[in-house]
Amino acid sequence: MNNRPLTLMAVHAHPDDEATGTGGVLARYAAEGMRTVLVTCTDGGCGDGPEGVKPGDPGHDPAAVALMRRQELEASCEVLRIGHLEMLDYADSGMMGWPTNDAPGSFWRTPVEEGAGRLAELLRHYEPDVVVTYDENGFYGHPDHIQANRITMAALAMTTLTPKVYWTTAPRSMMQRFGEVMREFGADGQEPDPAEAAAMAEIGLPDEEITTWVDTTAFGGQKFDALAAHASQGENIFFLKMGQERFTELMGVETFVRVQDTTGAAVPENDLFAGLR
């Protein structure tokens, strides 16, 4: 018998992604004695620099930003009690359509089989029982999120492992509440652009299509603090504006679609490890 602990591996694109959609489950399962592994695919170099300097603006130094974000990521992992951090360190590709998409070394430009091969080595090393990443659209169309899905699914196919595999998602009912809260906390009080509102309404899935609802309310404080650890990106992290109590109220359940399973655990389920313990 293999005496290793039950293991959760989350594959994310950038520093700070680990906290937004999976901070609750990472903290919860670490507290329950599971081994937690975070794989971060890019260096985050297309994030904001010191003083909020934006990518492409004078003074933005991707290498310096990447170093700063690595330190913030390590702080976030400490807050969430993540046991193992693995960084693939591909260059951040930026948002869809940015010139950085096609820059040498960018994650988006990296052949899927190359990234998958590296991830497959980590899968074989840790032998996770549960693997979490994004859906095929990267949840909202970010190129690095899409690539993370591609390499994860390809890496799994390169191994003989049969973990439960989940894609992060959000129920449409929650996305509607997000829209209401964003208007409530909006700096200018104006109605959102209709096109943006329509796009947000299409993010996530109808509630009935979600297979897995995990209550992480008890870990809302850790999740909030993990996001706050990424202080350099605070301008882009809307959730920090609402304060910890409201944040936990809104973000206290993390939702997933189960796309691979050999346990036969019934769905809907409330535990990523259902059927494994």
Side-chain angles (χ1 to χ4, degrees):
M1 292 290 291
N2 191 332
N3 292 322
R4 65 171 177 77
L6 287 171
T7 300
L8 165 64
M9 176 182 284
V11 182
H12 281 292
H14 313 97
D16 78 25
D17 289 332
E18 78 290 340
T20 307
T22 59
V25 293
L26 287 165
R28 171 180 165 168
Y29 291 122
E32 292 181 6
M34 313 301 191
R35 181 173 60 168
T36 53
V37 181
L38 170 64
V39 180
T40 301
C41 296
T42 79
D43 61 10
C46 284
D48 288 357
E51 310 299 326
V53 176
K54 302 296 182 185
D57 286 352
H60 186 275
D61 180 352
V65 171
L67 176 60
M68 174 177 63
R69 298 196 70 185
R70 170 64 183 255
Q71 294 167 343
E72 292 175 340
L73 177 61
E74 290 172 349
S76 172
C77 288
E78 190 74 22
V79 169
L80 297 174
R81 302 293 186 262
I82 292 170
H84 303 271
L85 171 62
E86 300 283 355
M87 294 199 70
L88 300 186
D89 267 334
Y90 290 107
D92 189 342
S93 309
M95 299 298 287
M96 190 67 80
W98 286 14
T100 45
N101 292 175
D102 297 317
S106 76
F107 189 39
W108 182 241
R109 183 173 172 176
T110 298
V112 169
E113 58 271 21
E114 177 191 320
R118 295 180 60 194
L119 182 57
E121 291 182 15
L122 295 175
L123 288 167
R124 295 186 191 102
H125 176 72
Y126 289 106
E127 297 183 350
D129 302 279
V130 175
V131 174
V132 176
T133 192
Y134 314 98
D135 63 20
E136 292 164 312
N137 188 47
F139 188 58
Y140 67 97
H142 193 295
D144 287 330
H145 291 216
I146 294 170
Q147 188 76 331
N149 166 277
R150 290 174 177 171
I151 74 160
T152 301
M153 302 312 292
L156 286 162
M158 291 177 177
T159 76
T160 58
L161 302 172
T162 57
K164 297 179 79 177
V165 180
Y166 293 90
W167 293 347
T168 58
T169 191
R172 292 273 167 81
S173 60
M174 188 168 70
M175 293 308 299
Q176 183 177 349
R177 292 201 299 276
F178 278 158
E180 294 167 358
V181 173
M182 287 180 75
R183 287 191 291 275
E184 177 184 344
F185 285 88
D188 55 14
Q190 296 178 3
E191 288 295 308
D193 178 87
E196 290 183 8
M200 177 168 283
E202 293 303 312
I203 293 176
L205 291 171
D207 292 31
E208 62 272 16
E209 293 182 20
I210 292 173
T211 64
T212 311
W213 306 68
V214 184
D215 184 356
T216 61
T217 305
F219 303 92
Q222 279 177 262
K223 181 171 177 174
F224 184 87
D225 290 346
L227 270 175
H230 297 280
S232 69
Q233 309 306 304
E235 183 180 329
N236 302 318
I237 304 176
F238 161 78
F239 304 110
L240 295 175
K241 298 178 182 178
M242 64 181 73
Q244 181 176 311
E245 182 176 348
R246 190 70 181 276
F247 172 85
T248 300
E249 176 187 327
L250 190 66
M251 304 283 285
V253 175
E254 293 182 349
T255 51
F256 307 86
V257 173
R258 194 174 80 189
V259 295
Q260 179 175 303
D261 172 65
T262 58
T263 69
V267 293
E269 60 187 0
N270 60 10
D271 179 9
L272 295 179
F273 289 88
L276 293 169
R277 56 174 173 168

